[in-house]
Amino acid sequence: MADAIHRVVIIGGGFGGLNAAQALRRERVDVTLIDRRNFHLFQPLLYQVATGALSPANIASPLRSVLKNQPNTRVMLGDVTGFDISGKEVVLADGTRVGYDSLIVAAGAGHSYFAHPEWEAHAPGLKTIEDATAIRRRVLQAFEDAELHDDPQVRAKLLNFVIVGAGPTGVEMAGAISELAHHTLRKDFRSIDPATARIVLLEHAPRVLMPFHPNLSERARRELQHMGVEVVTGAMVTDIQAEAVTYQRDGQTVVIPTRTVVWAAGVKASPLGKMLADATGANLDRAGRIEVEPDLTLPGHRDLYVIGDMALGRYPDGKTQLPGVAPVAMQQGKYAAKAIVRRLRNSPVEPFRYWDKGSMATIGRAAAVADLYFVRFGGYLAWLAWLFIHLMYIVAFQNRLLVLFQWFGNYLTRNRAARLITEVASDDNPQAGTTPNREMTTQVAPPTRAAVTATPS
Amino acid sequence: MADAIHRVVIIGGGFGGLNAAQALRRERVDVTLIDRRNFHLFQPLLYQVATGALSPANIASPLRSVLKNQPNTRVMLGDVTGFDISGKEVVLADGTRVGYDSLIVAAGAGHSYFAHPEWEAHAPGLKTIEDATAIRRRVLQAFEDAELHDDPQVRAKLLNFVIVGAGPTGVEMAGAISELAHHTLRKDFRSIDPATARIVLLEHAPRVLMPFHPNLSERARRELQHMGVEVVTGAMVTDIQAEAVTYQRDGQTVVIPTRTVVWAAGVKASPLGKMLADATGANLDRAGRIEVEPDLTLPGHRDLYVIGDMALGRYPDGKTQLPGVAPVAMQQGKYAAKAIVRRLRNSPVEPFRYWDKGSMATIGRAAAVADLYFVRFGGYLAWLAWLFIHLMYIVAFQNRLLVLFQWFGNYLTRNRAARLITEVASDDNPQAGTTPNREMTTQVAPPTRAAVTATPS
């Protein structure tokens, strides 16, 4: 069996896993990419799905489609639930076992609500297509319900939107909801003025976009405030209920009545990380990331790579941790693929080095900040750069054109065509479709009749 | 109060209701359009969402957006559950009452499984966005599961697709699934050949596309067979289970093992029709349609219009019934609006006359049939006509361009970019996201190991 083809199993079709698979395209190895979902998701644009600017399919590419012309690679739809490290097998939920010679684990991260898992029900995060359509439904439904209510207190509660966490995702969500309220929906309602919506961005740190240079943070804050977003830094969220968020700041406790909270604060690595750590004795940090060797393998397991948001990697100084962003995962995926091939040829493997090209975040229409390695800038130019780079990294060519086309239309008209309140219907419950969103409308008192018989204003 | 503005309430934002609202744009009336959903849906293209060619938002336009520049019209998101005919009020699920002077009921139709409501769980129909994404999930998941199974019987069951009903929707679905299997997915799998999928179109009538001229039916049948669809006419479905469809034909009973059945056979008018009939004494037919006067009102209620799929309208001969298609609903919507205005001015109201421009159906890439009033034709020209007319009637300009662009891309590449298996996640059940489609994968035995360790073929 000395001649058997080396089997590489990759868990996860995100930025890390997909780049690893693609880097193995011309190698004499047998690649199996396992994912729970049948598509690669371009997560950096999820917030545009959550605010109705793009459709889910525009930022998702079927994995089979992306890898169809790569004959040494098969895609398997499956849910990995465990590892048999000594037997060199991955175990799936249905009991299937997949053998490997080299394993790349790139299962990403989910949300962390720290010690408050009960907050999740009231404050969805933004990691999956379903998260995005759930947030879209909640945001749009809040305006719909406000239109039907006369009571100013109820209306205010419905038109308060709170985003927790002012990293790139939180900043982008706040900006996009503000655009929605001030421009897209401007003429859509008859009883309410959507522009009266209050959009509050809460951040625990002393400034927004902490990883960026303080000058850019300040610029982003000014831009957000200009767009009508209330930016509250140094705010520690202490409670999230169905109809209120509570935070502390400067020793004061503030309660914001709201039904719509978006969680953009904490992430936690896939639980597969803990399984691997238990099996190999590797260390985990508080966010569930697994400490990897300089070559991204686990200590004592040269055949076991962990990359992307699951890995606690470091800059060459050995101290600073790598951020959980797409470029790190992409470079690690390519590196792991190359390391496997080099080891097969008994060539030496250099430690992984992240080439940091900088960070960017958009704030709204024609506004962004870019913190590149050699230059920092904001405004229109940064926004164009952001558009260009994000378009470039969208995997499928057709999607690239579709997104470009929709962005162009959205820019011209400030419209967001994908403003659909779709339902939480289920195959098991075909009746769900007949009473849309009742769980949401029951959270507020029934509207008075005056609200619906008033003449249009 | 002689000067109070006349209040028109419209129930339903489909083809009928939306056309009625738009026809009232410049009139001195106060319009309220009530719908359960926040968008108008272009149902004739739903099958393209179900087969991954288009995204839901491409064929849906937010009602508020469509009507934003129509200041006399408000949109209300609500679920109508009853009528107070004598009090002239519509009653919503949450208890809200909306008063009217004229009422247009255009709530459309759902599926009818005749005396077998239990079939619905195994054979979803195609009326809503959620129906379409559910069918998309089932069809794609069947290929995924087949890829993981070695047993030829299990594979065959997974790769059998049955469409019940060969009207335009059934014919279009069968053609699109055939395209998916023979072209789009051709190189996507390593263990199965998607082209071995069996696509069976069952029809009770003696030919497909019954409302069309027999020559066109024959042409459509040949075209379907050429594409690899098995067309079985004169077949009466007697049972649908989770893993099999049973039908009778020429006294023989045939069982097709399958996990994917699409229902395109029967429709039933909205239950609001029965409520109206009970309240007014109007007649209902077996499909739940309400018999209307020549002016589309209910007998003895000149202020109560029923239009579209809910109405049992007739051709001027008084005998032939109008078909349940979009053009009828659109013309009836405009007619009802005009009738209301004429009555306000005490002008005479002529009976409704349907201007039948003919019918069309696509079969697949570059194939369609058109049965127009003065001419019948098929093939490429019919297909171009179909494309043009469907594009023309898509409400939002941006969607028109997006659909055109995607059709063009799909035509060139035979790709279908929106092939997403999205989940049935729920706000109430945030964990649902972690085990995709388990309800589907448990329907077949766990795959043997050989299936997943075999080398790529």
Side-chain angles (χ1 to χ4, degrees), chain A residues 64 69 130 144 187 423, chain B residues 64 69 144 187 423:
Chain A
R64 292 193 187 283
N69 293 320
E130 288 75 13
E144 293 292 341
K187 291 165 81 181
E423 285 178 32
Chain B
R64 292 193 187 283
N69 293 319
E144 293 292 342
K187 293 166 79 181
E423 288 178 31

Side-chain angles (χ1 to χ4, degrees), chain A residues 144-196:
Chain A
E144 293 292 341
D145 290 346
E147 170 84 350
L148 296 179
H149 283 79
D150 260 357
D151 182 331
Q153 271 193 305
V154 174
R155 266 196 195 170
K157 176 171 67 186
L158 290 166
L159 293 180
N160 285 349
F161 299 89
V162 178
I163 297 102
V164 183
T169 300
V171 165
E172 284 161 354
M173 269 306 291
I177 295 178
S178 166
E179 279 256 329
L180 197 64
H182 287 93
H183 299 287
T184 311
L185 301 180
R186 196 161 55 96
K187 291 165 81 181
D188 276 16
F189 294 89
R190 300 291 176 258
S191 304
I192 59 163
D193 175 4
T196 59

